[in-house]
Amino acid sequence: MLMKTCTPSSVLLVCLGNICRSPTAEEVFRQQAAIAGLSIKVDSAGTGDWHIGHAPDERAQRHAKAYGYKINKLVARQVSADDFRNFELILAMDTQNLADLQAIKDSLSDTDDNLAKLALFSEEDPTYGGDDVPDPYKGDSDAFEEVIERIESSAQAWIESWKTC
């Protein structure tokens, strides 16, 4: 479990391919942080390399746009070792990606104090706390709707948690 910290200067949101969940979370998080008056560098990446250089999934773009989030200009990339040095907090969309991120972090020679803290994206969420944000890639329209609902809820929960620091 992540120990409570005040507002981080930077947050990286991570899923598997960086074309559905994490780019959606990037834009939701960016907008919600701005509304809350927080200045946070926000980015997204994937643990896998299948979609590097691609735009988000068209279905993710369509559903995000319906909620007022424009993700069409985002470009998929893979998590790198430098991300653990350049971001204060890395949030994984699910437990498998969190485990993969922990393995990468463990392989780095830096001291733990110099590396990003890791947590599950839903960790602070009173509604979805501890749950994975399900991957909608092989799902239908309802799966993408559920992802946006969960992402909005969990992003807001993180922001609210920082207000109490």
Side-chain angles (χ1 to χ4, degrees):
M1 283 285 189
L2 179 71
M3 290 184 61
K4 189 71 122 184
T5 60
C6 287
T7 308
S9 61
S10 55
V11 176
L12 180 66
L13 303 147
V14 178
C15 69
L16 186 59
N18 194 214
I19 61 167
C20 294
R21 295 173 290 174
S22 59
T24 301
E26 176 184 347
E27 185 57 24
V28 169
F29 216 97
R30 184 178 286 121
Q31 285 190 30
Q32 287 190 6
I35 289 166
L38 302 176
S39 178
I40 303 173
K41 172 185 163 187
V42 181
D43 197 3
S44 64
T47 55
D49 63 358
W50 311 279
H51 303 292
I52 293 173
H54 297 137
D57 184 283
E58 288 183 16
R59 299 164 298 169
Q61 289 184 47
R62 188 171 51 252
H63 286 276
K65 186 176 181 181
Y67 283 81
Y69 304 111
K70 290 186 177 184
I71 63 171
N72 59 313
K73 301 264 193 252
L74 300 179
V75 177
R77 69 178 188 86
Q78 187 174 24
V79 171
S80 71
D82 283 341
D83 288 327
F84 292 83
R85 297 176 189 102
N86 297 332
F87 287 89
E88 199 171 328
L89 178 63
I90 299 177
L91 299 175
M93 294 294 123
D94 59 56
T95 52
Q96 182 58 58
N97 282 297
L98 183 58
D100 293 343
L101 289 165
Q102 187 63 57
I104 295 168
K105 183 177 178 178
D106 291 345
S107 74
L108 300 175
S109 60
D110 306 58
T111 64
D112 218 33
D113 292 343
N114 296 334
L115 298 174
K117 291 177 176 49
L118 301 178
L120 194 61
F121 184 68
S122 66
E123 185 173 306
E124 290 290 328
D125 194 327
T127 304
Y128 300 107
D131 292 347
D132 290 350
V133 176
D135 190 346
Y137 187 72
K138 294 182 180 177
D140 59 11
S141 183
D142 288 344
F144 285 88
E145 293 289 316
E146 179 183 358
V147 162
I148 290 175
E149 178 182 308
R150 286 174 177 256
I151 286 172
E152 286 180 330
S153 180
S154 292
Q156 190 60 45
W158 278 104
I159 290 166
E160 288 300 318
S161 78
W162 295 326
K163 289 180 181 178
T164 62
C165 287

